[in-house]
Each structure stands twice: as C-alpha cells, then as structure tokens.
Amino acid sequence: LVRDAKQLIGPNLPISVGIANPNLDSATIQQVVEAYRSYYNQTGHMKSKLYPGAREALERLGEASQPIYILTNKIQRAADIICGHLGLDGLVDHIFGQNAAERPKPERLMTIVAEHGLKGGVLVGDGLDDFAAAQKTGFRFVLAKWGYGAQCVLEKHGSVDGMDGLEEIRFLL
C-alpha cells in the first residue's frame, strides 16, 4: 500500500506502477503501462491543463530570446500530443520526452546537454529527479514550489531556490 501517492507522480511510468503494485511481475507491469499509454494518448491527455501563468511565462521567456526546452518523463509521443493539445508547440524550442529505454531524467539531460551543446541553463522543476538532473549538468535548479514533488525536494535538500508561481519567471531573466 502506497502511503503517499505523490511518490507515484514523476518517475518513469513503469517505476510508478511497480511502486503502487509491488507484487506485479515485470510482464504485467508492462501490460498496465501499455494500456495506460493507449488510453492517455487517445483521450486522457485532454484532461491536461496548464498551470496558471504558464503560457505568459513561456511567452516572456521567448520575448527575451531565451531557448525553452521541456524535459519530461512522459514518452515522446505523449509529450508531443499534450504540447499540441495545450498549444505549446510554438512557444518551446524542443520537447524532450522518453524513448523506449526510459532512462532516468538526470542521465537523459546529460545526453541532451552533450548532443545539443547546452551550457549554463536553468532547470525549473518540482521533483527529486529534476533536482538531480540539474546537479549532474551544473544547471541552476529552481524549485516550482506549487508542484506535486516540491515538498519531497525540500525535505531531502532543505532550503532550495524556488518560485511560488510562474509570474516570478521574470526573475530568471
């Protein structure tokens, strides 16, 4: 029994399914994951909403000529579907979702940084995997304090530079 459902949000889906259902074998976990992804890609994504101020924050960053990337643990197809549904395509430079290997976010960001020659970025996130990814790449981490995993980050790492709302994005410029 999972005592804190927040630990299920953020990690790769197979990991979350395994945490929620520790008695499932890997083949059954994969069946659950495939069924969920099928539903999500067809209709489930339509329940996704932007946080208040997200569109304005992205527009402000774009006006400041800052490159904007989305790094998510969602499979690439789902990430593209959601961004299209939310109208983010024209506001971000690239969306980095998962591929079939489903590598951890820190490992994936290190590869992205190397392949795209990124340097000195800011990673805004709300989970332990976001914090770890920023540390591994030398990026500045800014905690999205409104996010589902923010409390876990604070409990593990203490005081962390953060934002209370997306209107504070202007302080990153």
Side-chain angles (χ1 to χ4, degrees):
L1 180 64
V2 177
R3 296 192 190 282
D4 183 5
K6 289 180 184 175
Q7 66 181 316
L8 301 176
I9 304 170
N12 299 342
L13 188 56
I15 292 170
S16 294
V17 172
I19 291 169
N21 304 280
N23 296 326
L24 294 182
D25 59 59
S26 60
T28 305
I29 288 174
Q30 191 57 38
Q31 288 176 332
V32 171
V33 166
E34 288 172 14
Y36 173 82
R37 286 186 175 146
S38 175
Y39 160 77
Y40 196 85
N41 290 344
Q42 290 174 22
T43 59
H45 69 277
M46 291 183 211
K47 295 180 182 179
S48 296
K49 297 180 196 172
L50 289 176
Y51 280 108
R55 181 171 310 286
E56 294 80 7
L58 292 171
E59 288 170 350
R60 177 171 274 174
L61 289 171
E63 290 167 1
S65 298
Q66 298 298 315
I68 304 167
Y69 304 101
I70 294 176
L71 175 64
T72 178
N73 279 333
K74 292 187 182 330
I75 289 293
Q76 186 67 52
R77 181 165 182 252
D80 292 337
I81 289 170
I82 292 168
C83 287
H85 168 72
L86 297 173
L88 299 180
D89 296 348
L91 297 175
V92 299
D93 293 282
H94 196 86
I95 303 159
F96 294 101
Q98 283 280 10
N99 62 19
E102 300 203 53
R103 299 179 333 192
K105 197 177 274 185
E107 182 182 319
R108 289 177 38 240
L109 184 56
M110 287 180 63
T111 300
I112 292 164
V113 165
E115 288 177 358
H116 294 267
L118 304 178
K119 293 183 178 149
V122 176
L123 192 152
V124 177
D126 63 356
L128 291 169
D129 58 344
D130 297 315
F131 185 90
Q135 280 195 316
K136 285 210 177 236
T137 55
F139 281 24
R140 176 179 166 209
F141 178 74
V142 177
L143 180 65
K145 293 181 182 177
W146 61 89
Y148 69 89
Q151 189 59 40
C152 293
V153 172
L154 293 171
E155 287 170 5
K156 183 164 184 175
H157 298 290
S159 181
V160 175
D161 187 23
M163 297 186 299
D164 290 312
L166 282 164
E167 67 281 352
E168 294 178 30
I169 205 85
R170 66 185 180 277
F171 297 124
L172 298 179
L173 300 174

